[in-house]
Amino acid sequence: MQSLFVLFVLSILIFGILKLAPGNIAQIMAGIGAKPEDIANLEEKLGLNQPFPVQYWRFVHGFFTGDLRSAAFNDPLMTVMSRKLVASLELGAVAIILSVLLSIPAGIIAAVKRNTFWDYSVTMFALAGISIPVFWIALLLMIIFGGWLRVLPISGRGADIGGLSILTADGWRHIIIPAVSMALIQMAMNARLTRSSLLEVLQQDYITTARSKGISEFMVVVRHGLRNALIPVVTNIGLMTQVLFAGAILTETVTAWPGVGRLVYQAIIMRDEPLLFGLTIVIAIFYQLTYLAVDLLYAYLDPTIVYD
Amino acid sequence: MTSSRHISEFRTLIVAFLFPWIHLLSQGQRRLGILFLLFEVLSSYVLTHGMLRSTTDALLAPYEGLSILVAVILIDIIGRFLCVISATRARTRSYMESYSRIISRRLSRDPKGILGLLVLGGFVFLVLVAPLISSDPLVMNFGAVLQKPSATYLLGTDMYGRDVFSRIVYGTRYTLGIGVTATVLNILLGATLGLVAGYFRGVIDAILMRILEILNSIPFLMLAILIVAMFGSSTSLLIVVLSVFVLQPARIVRSQVLELREKDYVKAARAIGATPIRIICCHLLPNTVGTLLVVASIRVGQNILSLAGLSFLGMGITPPTPSWGSMLQEGRSVILQCPWLGIFPGMAIFTTVLAFNLVGDSLRDALDPRLKL
């Protein structure tokens, strides 16, 4: 219910921004020197001369029935978006798996070996990771692996099988730079969080009890510590999926990865109102789903949480 | 130990320095307080418009209007120090000693913060002496296009033959100016919203939470690009976007206030008939200042990152004005042949943001190590 409310207000907000912006879209699309009657025709075709509530209804109705067409690509929204969605999900999945696999062990090591060289390196790495602009990492990787070593392609998505490029060797080579640059930043945040959360848990009384029972330190950390320490980490991974899947505008633009982020950028540049509207709703629905998933996982990990 | 007392006094001093008008208001000096608040609003206006006019003339005459800027900053700082002095006068001498002891002990314990402050100091120094150490960042020289870093061109030249070092130095001005101004506005707005929503709860709180939910359901960068692209890029719009559409500070302050408002001293203040404004200004705000400081230093870094991202997408500061993000964008097409165009501006962004994060980290450790932000 709340999610529906959020989606509704958000759609109005985006619609408002699109409509309040100065400039006539029909004029822009028709180009400089277009005849007034051409502009009028285009306005008629795009429904721009109807009142705002009617236009809004047309957008919402068209979005759910699949009739809404992108103004720039002249295709139904789903046709334009579906391939990009797959590409983004693919890139996001690789980046998330990479960052989770590396960040949780790093955070555990930093917490267990507190105030040692390992802890300081992980902490410094994490601090550096949250300070680095994501597109700059991508540029650096391009310079190093594309320019000097000449081992990786610097842009695009490469060959794919059935829309999935991770199924081909060429696709793998293309996915490395964008995935690593996105993963590095998320890794930094996640390692930091794992460390602080595990440190807090390890100071609890039941950990002392577990130790005094004589279980090995490894079991103490993994079985008693980690399960509780991972609760905030899971939340963070949920939020990570949002950034990686839907918000990768910068990474996808700089590496020319044909995903949703790049499509958002293109739609804004071309001022493709129906496409932008559709993208916003799709991304917002995705965000709401991740919030739901995080809540459910939370309840699973922490039995004391009960939702009504 | 009476360390908690010291910390609360330490906080009073921070309030006197950071929010002098609140200090004055809480001391019963209403007129002075309101006067200072007006001055603050005015000076932030002067600062943004004096320092950040994104026209080329302002760049070519970097010291134009500088005297006004210096005057404004001087009056501001003097006013703040007067407030701090009046705040310390009210205390005993032993308190002064413990205050300085706390400061020096914490600083000497944590090299992170010092490192961060030194780096930031270096960048501020660069802003001030920019015209002395660098050449004109806008002048094109087609005889020296895409030169490698050398003695003449410290960090090389770009495709128009402009000196990369000069452009980075002048870029600092815009980056720090917009980053800091947006953060100050953001924190002011966030603190006000958070305090009001947390203290009064009810409808205001519900509205704030709904707004937060809505803003949290699409990527911030997407909204920012959309607004900037639709309404045309300008310095003031960038500052508004970076300060209004990020409401994390409000959320953090709110959750802290929800806890604080149940404390006995707040109940006591309410019982003796203190007005909500007084409770918010004198009892709640001073206790959130530590958090606000940490949030602020982290937000400056985040704002600089967002600004760089926007400029990189061509939505930030408009060329030919030098900004680190747009320098990366311009160099992108030749980045494999001329890596210096990709390395140095990014390095500048990275160093600045890292410095702010270092300061934020050590501030957090000093104020409250258990604070999770």
Side-chain angles (χ1 to χ4, degrees):
Chain A
M1 199 54 226
Q2 228 168 31
S3 308
L4 286 180
F5 171 76
V6 167
L7 285 176
F8 174 67
V9 177
L10 190 70
S11 70
I12 289 186
L13 177 76
I14 296 296
F15 185 79
I17 292 176
L18 292 172
K19 288 301 167 193
L20 287 179
N24 184 344
I25 308 153
Q27 176 104 56
I28 297 169
M29 285 178 61
I32 303 164
K35 292 191 203 99
E37 56 262 34
D38 288 346
I39 295 174
N41 273 339
L42 204 57
E43 270 180 356
E44 184 70 46
K45 198 181 129 211
L46 296 172
L48 290 173
N49 42 12
Q50 288 162 331
F52 285 161
V54 177
Q55 289 192 42
Y56 175 74
W57 173 246
R58 237 171 45 87
F59 271 24
V60 175
H61 184 259
F63 174 76
F64 285 108
T65 54
D67 290 341
L68 197 59
R69 280 169 177 275
S70 150
F73 297 102
N74 211 15
D75 280 324
L77 287 191
M78 267 308 137
T79 324
V80 181
M81 281 195 269
S82 54
R83 253 185 82 86
K84 315 272 180 179
L85 274 171
V86 174
S88 264
L89 289 173
E90 189 182 22
L91 176 62
V94 174
I96 284 181
I97 292 169
L98 202 64
S99 58
V100 169
L101 283 185
L102 292 172
S103 67
I104 291 183
I108 295 173
I109 290 172
V112 172
K113 300 190 181 291
R114 194 183 181 181
N115 290 337
T116 61
F117 168 74
W118 296 106
D119 183 20
Y120 292 134
S121 353
V122 170
T123 320
M124 277 323 284
F125 167 78
L127 211 54
I130 57 170
S131 313
I132 260 187
V134 60
F135 54 96
W136 188 52
I137 301 188
L139 284 176
L140 285 184
L141 292 175
M142 285 177 183
I143 294 176
I144 296 170
F145 294 102
W148 292 346
L149 303 175
R150 294 183 185 282
V151 285
L152 290 177
I154 60 162
S155 70
R157 194 174 167 207
D160 61 276
I161 296 172
L164 280 177
S165 54
I166 43 172
L167 296 178
T168 65
D170 186 46
W172 267 110
R173 277 157 41 80
H174 278 87
I175 212 171
I176 289 176
I177 288 183
V180 167
S181 42
M182 282 207 286
L184 272 176
I185 287 170
Q186 300 302 327
M187 225 162 89
M189 291 188 198
N190 215 32
R192 209 171 136 99
L193 192 65
T194 312
R195 175 182 176 272
S196 66
S197 154
L198 188 57
L199 273 180
E200 199 169 303
V201 168
L202 287 181
Q203 281 162 1
Q204 304 277 327
D205 286 342
Y206 65 84
I207 295 291
T208 321
T209 314
R211 280 194 184 126
S212 61
K213 280 200 304 190
I215 339 177
S216 68
E217 186 65 23
F218 179 78
M219 287 306 275
V220 170
V221 171
V222 172
R223 268 193 63 186
H224 297 264
L226 212 52
R227 174 151 181 167
N228 287 300
L230 280 186
I231 294 174
V233 179
V234 165
T235 318
N236 190 45
I237 295 174
L239 300 180
M240 248 158 80
T241 48
Q242 300 180 337
V243 181
L244 296 181
F245 288 149
I249 304 178
L250 286 165
T251 326
E252 288 182 4
T253 312
V254 70
T255 57
W257 184 264
V260 175
R262 190 154 169 262
L263 189 64
V264 166
Y265 178 64
Q266 286 170 334
I268 291 175
I269 292 287
M270 294 185 294
R271 219 169 149 176
D272 188 341
E273 290 188 353
L275 183 55
L276 260 175
F277 187 81
L279 279 169
T280 318
I281 304 296
V282 168
I283 291 175
I285 291 176
F286 180 79
Y287 268 48
Q288 296 300 325
L289 288 179
T290 52
Y291 286 130
L292 185 67
V294 166
D295 279 353
L296 292 177
L297 260 175
Y298 225 86
Y300 169 73
L301 282 170
D302 184 353
T304 58
I305 296 177
V306 179
Y307 297 107
D308 358 283
Chain B
M1 273 297 284
T2 51
S3 70
S4 66
R5 209 185 107 241
H6 292 157
I7 289 173
S8 71
E9 283 161 348
F10 171 60
R11 280 184 183 161
T12 324
L13 289 184
I14 296 184
V15 172
F17 186 74
L18 284 177
F19 307 103
W21 62 91
I22 287 161
H23 172 73
L24 290 170
L25 284 175
S26 70
Q27 296 291 312
Q29 289 166 313
R30 289 224 175 113
R31 280 193 199 153
L32 264 180
I34 291 169
L35 208 66
F36 209 106
L37 184 59
L38 285 178
F39 174 74
E40 284 298 292
V41 175
L42 192 77
S43 65
S44 62
Y45 178 81
V46 170
L47 280 177
T48 30
H49 280 257
M51 207 153 74
L52 304 166
R53 277 170 308 175
S54 47
T55 57
T56 46
D57 328 339
L59 255 173
L60 294 173
Y63 278 120
E64 184 202 343
L66 191 76
S67 49
I68 303 173
L69 281 186
V70 171
V72 166
I73 293 171
L74 272 183
I75 294 175
D76 183 275
I77 290 178
I78 291 172
R80 280 164 201 272
F81 274 105
L82 284 178
C83 278
V84 174
I85 291 168
S86 85
T88 53
R89 276 239 178 113
R91 316 276 162 180
T92 55
R93 200 178 149 66
S94 66
Y95 160 63
M96 274 299 284
E97 280 165 9
S98 67
Y99 164 69
S100 56
R101 216 185 313 151
I102 286 176
I103 294 284
S104 57
R105 194 181 63 219
R106 290 201 169 129
L107 278 182
S108 62
R109 255 194 210 160
D110 197 11
K112 271 190 307 190
I114 298 176
L115 181 69
L117 283 177
L118 279 179
V119 173
L120 290 181
F123 273 108
V124 171
F125 181 71
L126 276 185
V127 173
L128 293 177
V129 299
L132 304 175
I133 54 168
S134 59
S135 56
D136 192 327
L138 295 176
V139 108
M140 301 185 186
N141 177 3
F142 290 100
V145 170
L146 296 175
Q147 295 286 309
K148 280 194 177 145
S150 64
T152 346
Y153 303 106
L154 214 52
L155 301 179
T157 62
D158 66 4
M159 62 255 284
Y160 302 110
R162 296 176 297 198
D163 184 28
V164 173
F165 176 70
S166 309
R167 287 180 71 72
I168 288 182
V169 168
Y170 274 90
T172 315
R173 203 177 274 209
Y174 294 89
T175 307
L176 288 186
I178 295 180
V180 172
T181 316
T183 308
V184 170
L185 292 177
N186 184 13
I187 294 289
L188 280 178
L189 182 75
T192 316
L193 284 178
L195 284 165
V196 169
Y199 182 74
F200 292 109
R201 299 205 290 202
V203 185
I204 306 173
D205 193 26
I207 294 175
L208 177 72
M209 294 319 280
R210 291 296 91 74
I211 295 176
L212 275 168
E213 268 170 29
I214 291 160
L215 288 181
N216 276 336
S217 56
I218 49 169
F220 166 70
L221 199 63
M222 178 174 170
L223 192 64
I225 299 174
L226 184 64
I227 293 174
V228 175
M230 292 299 155
F231 294 97
S233 177
S234 73
T235 311
S236 13
L237 184 65
L238 283 174
I239 291 175
V240 168
V241 167
L242 290 177
S243 55
V244 174
F245 291 97
V246 187
L247 286 177
Q248 271 100 328
R251 185 208 301 273
I252 292 165
V253 170
R254 173 188 168 270
S255 66
Q256 214 169 19
V257 169
L258 283 181
E259 214 172 288
L260 288 172
R261 75 192 293 277
E262 304 302 329
K263 298 253 171 165
D264 286 342
Y265 60 81
V266 179
K267 284 183 186 156
R270 219 177 296 152
I272 58 168
T275 56
I277 295 177
R278 191 181 161 81
I279 293 177
I280 288 177
C281 289
C282 307
H283 299 285
L284 299 177
L285 181 67
N287 285 298
T288 54
V289 163
T291 322
L292 280 178
L293 269 178
V294 181
V295 176
S297 52
I298 294 170
R299 286 284 351 142
V300 178
Q302 293 304 311
N303 279 340
I304 291 176
L305 280 183
S306 307
L307 182 68
L310 281 170
S311 311
F312 182 73
L313 293 175
M315 305 282 174
I317 298 159
T318 38
T321 307
S323 98
W324 298 338
S326 48
M327 287 171 73
L328 285 174
Q329 165 63 28
E330 287 161 13
R332 197 175 135 203
S333 50
V334 287
I335 201 159
L336 294 189
Q337 295 79 36
C338 315
W340 61 90
L341 291 179
I343 292 172
F344 297 123
M347 195 71 91
I349 305 172
F350 173 54
T351 329
T352 322
V353 179
L354 183 64
F356 276 110
N357 281 335
L358 282 171
V359 173
D361 234 40
S362 79
L363 266 177
R364 182 190 48 202
D365 290 349
L367 289 165
D368 183 2
R370 284 176 301 120
L371 206 62
K372 274 191 231 134
L373 286 172

